[in-house]
Amino acid sequence: MSRYLTPTLAGLSPYTPGEQPQDQQYIKLNTNESPYPPSPAVVAAVNAAEVEKLRLYSDPACAQLLAAAAEYHGLSPDEIMPGNGSDENLFFALRAFCDEQHPLAYADVTYGCYSVWCNLMHIPSHILPLEADFSIDPTKYYGLNETIVIANPNAPTGLALPRSAIEGILKSNPDNVVIVDEAYVDFGGESCVPLIHQYDNLLVVQTFSKSRQLAGARLGLAMGNAALIADLNRVKFSLNPYNINRLTLKAGEAALKDTAYFDATRQKIMDTRAWTAKELANRGFSLTDSRSNFLFARTDRMEGGALYRALKEKGILVRHFDSPRIADYLRITIGTQAQMEALIKALDEILEG
Ligand SMILES: *Cc1c(COP(=O)(O)O)cnc(C)c1O
C-alpha cells in the first residue's frame, strides 16, 4: 500500500479469489470452472484471421453476440447486455441502481463480491440471514423497498429457489430492481428469464464461466427490460466502451450456437454430481441439495479447514471459507468422473488413514 492511497480504499477488503496455481500439478476443484474444454466450434471461431483483427477495436455494441444471445433466450437484443464476466454486469447494476441512499439487500452467506462492491461504492448493505438449513425464506425479501440481489442457485450452498418464489419477491418490490444472479442455473435451477416481459424490475445475470467453458474469456450476459439494459449501457459507456474483447465476442457467439455441446457437458456434470454426492453421503458427509456445478459438504470426522489442507497435500484443491456459519464445509467443484474418483480415494485415505 502506498502513502497516496485514499483512506477509503485503504480500509477496503478486496475479494479473495480461489487459488489459481499456474503449474498443472493439482486436481482443481476450487473455482467452479468446467473440467471440459470449450466447444470445438469455439476453437474454430477464435482463429488466426480473428487474431490478426486484434489491431482493431472490438464492436462496442457487440451486435453479433447479442443477435446469437437474443435468439437463444427468446429476447430482443436491446434486452441483453454483455459484460466482461458477469462480475462486470453485477458491478454495473450496483453502480446504476444503488448508492449511499439506496442500499443493497442480500444474504449473509452468498457470493462474496456483493459486499466488496458495496464497500467500494459506499453502498449500505442490508444483510438478510439464511435460515438454519441455509435456505432462503423469500418472504424476508417481501416489500423491502431496496435493490435486491439473490444468487439463484446460491453460492456456496448450491440451494435453489423456484421461479415462483422469485416472482413473489418481484411482485412485492415493484419500485426496486431485483437482480437474480444465475451463474449456476444451467445445472438444474429454474431460470427467471421467462419472467422478463412480465416484470420491468427484473434483471437476470448469467455467465459463460461455469456452464460454457469460458471462464478465462470473461463473458456474461445481463438480461432484462430494455430500459434497465439502457441504464447498464449508460454505465458501460461512461467507463469502458470496448469492454468485451474481439476474441471473446467470437467465442461467446460460437458457444451459444453449439447447444448440443452445452447440453451434453452440463448433463455430464449433473451426472457426476449425483455420483459424487452418493459416494460422500455413503461416507457420512452431510450435503446440501446442490443445483450447481459444486457440492457443499461437511463431515463430523474432520474440521473443514483441516480437511481442505489434507486434500491439498494430496494434490486436490477445494474451496474452504473461513467464515463463521460455513467453516465446517467444503465447496467442491464437480470435475470429470476420474477427478471425482480421485477425490473419493483421497478422502478415504485421509479419514481412515
Ligand atoms: C462465478 C460467479 C460469478 C462471476 O462469474 P464471472 O462471469 O466469471 O465474472 C458471479 N456470481 C456468482 C454467484 C458466481 O458464482
Side-chain angles (χ1 to χ4, degrees):
M1 203 179 288
S2 82
R3 64 195 169 90
Y4 307 105
L5 190 67
T6 62
T8 335
L9 265 285
L12 208 75
S13 323
Y15 178 73
T16 314
E19 298 154 272
Q20 293 289 0
Q22 295 303 309
D23 46 33
Q24 294 279 312
Q25 60 169 326
Y26 288 102
I27 293 181
K28 242 185 125 286
L29 307 177
N30 68 330
T31 50
N32 299 343
E33 291 139 330
S34 176
Y36 303 110
S39 137
V42 169
V43 179
V46 182
N47 55 34
E50 291 304 324
V51 172
E52 278 186 26
K53 289 191 204 147
L54 283 177
R55 68 185 185 79
L56 302 171
Y57 279 110
S58 57
D59 173 15
C62 306
Q64 279 177 283
L65 174 73
L66 285 188
E71 165 89 23
Y72 180 85
H73 286 289
L75 297 169
S76 78
D78 63 357
E79 294 170 320
I80 309 176
M81 166 83 184
N84 194 305
S86 59
D87 280 345
E88 190 183 55
N89 271 332
L90 288 161
F91 181 89
F92 286 167
L94 265 54
R95 179 74 278 187
F97 308 121
C98 301
D99 63 19
E100 284 89 341
Q101 276 77 47
H102 297 91
L104 181 70
Y106 53 92
D108 61 338
V109 179
T110 189
Y111 186 42
C113 283
Y114 307 148
S115 63
V116 174
W117 292 321
C118 283
N119 292 337
L120 179 63
M121 292 189 274
H122 313 290
I123 297 165
S125 292
H126 178 188
I127 309 281
L128 295 149
L130 298 180
E131 305 308 291
D133 63 358
F134 296 138
S135 65
I136 288 175
D137 174 358
T139 64
K140 281 191 177 168
Y141 291 77
Y142 282 8
L144 285 185
N145 202 26
E146 289 167 345
T147 303
I148 293 167
V149 62
I150 297 181
N152 190 41
N154 196 13
T157 65
L159 294 175
L161 284 173
R163 185 185 297 138
S164 56
I166 303 278
E167 195 166 2
I169 296 169
L170 286 162
K171 274 189 187 149
S172 70
N173 291 280
D175 297 325
N176 290 89
V177 176
V178 178
I179 305 163
V180 184
D181 181 351
E182 296 188 346
Y184 301 105
V185 77
D186 299 319
F187 303 105
E190 221 180 352
S191 176
C192 285
V193 169
L195 298 180
I196 284 174
H197 290 151
Q198 274 168 271
Y199 297 95
D200 69 359
N201 59 335
L202 168 62
L203 189 74
V204 178
V205 177
Q206 294 190 358
T207 175
F208 288 59
S209 297
K210 314 287 165 50
S211 57
R212 293 184 191 271
Q213 297 89 21
L214 288 175
R218 313 304 303 128
L219 186 62
L221 298 175
M223 293 170 276
N225 176 277
L228 287 185
I229 298 303
D231 295 342
L232 298 186
N233 271 302
R234 201 177 166 84
V235 181
K236 156 175 156 161
F237 284 95
S238 307
L239 175 75
N240 184 11
Y242 307 104
N243 61 333
I244 318 285
N245 75 71
R246 299 187 75 95
L247 298 180
T248 293
L249 287 174
K250 286 287 169 195
E253 186 188 342
L256 277 169
K257 287 178 175 165
D258 194 349
T259 54
Y261 188 82
F262 169 67
D263 287 333
T265 45
R266 66 197 180 110
Q267 189 58 53
K268 268 205 277 194
I269 286 169
M270 288 188 276
D271 293 345
T272 310
R273 179 180 72 201
W275 180 86
T276 311
K278 191 156 164 271
E279 293 295 320
L280 289 173
N282 286 345
R283 287 160 177 79
F285 278 79
S286 321
L287 298 143
T288 57
D289 178 19
S290 173
R291 304 298 172 89
S292 60
N293 67 340
F294 56 82
L295 289 169
F296 196 53
R298 67 177 295 275
T299 171
D300 290 333
R301 292 149 79 188
M302 201 182 260
E303 183 268 318
L307 190 49
Y308 155 79
R309 285 187 293 276
L311 281 169
K312 186 171 179 180
E313 227 154 77
K314 290 190 173 287
I316 299 177
L317 278 183
V318 298
R319 191 90 203 255
H320 174 251
F321 297 93
D322 214 354
S323 50
R325 286 188 75 179
I326 56 172
D328 274 348
Y329 281 81
L330 295 181
R331 190 194 70 188
I332 306 167
T333 304
I334 303 301
T336 61
Q337 179 68 26
Q339 288 177 323
M340 302 324 275
E341 285 168 15
L343 168 82
I344 296 293
K345 181 165 168 279
L347 284 172
D348 283 344
E349 288 166 6
I350 292 163
L351 295 171
E352 279 151 34

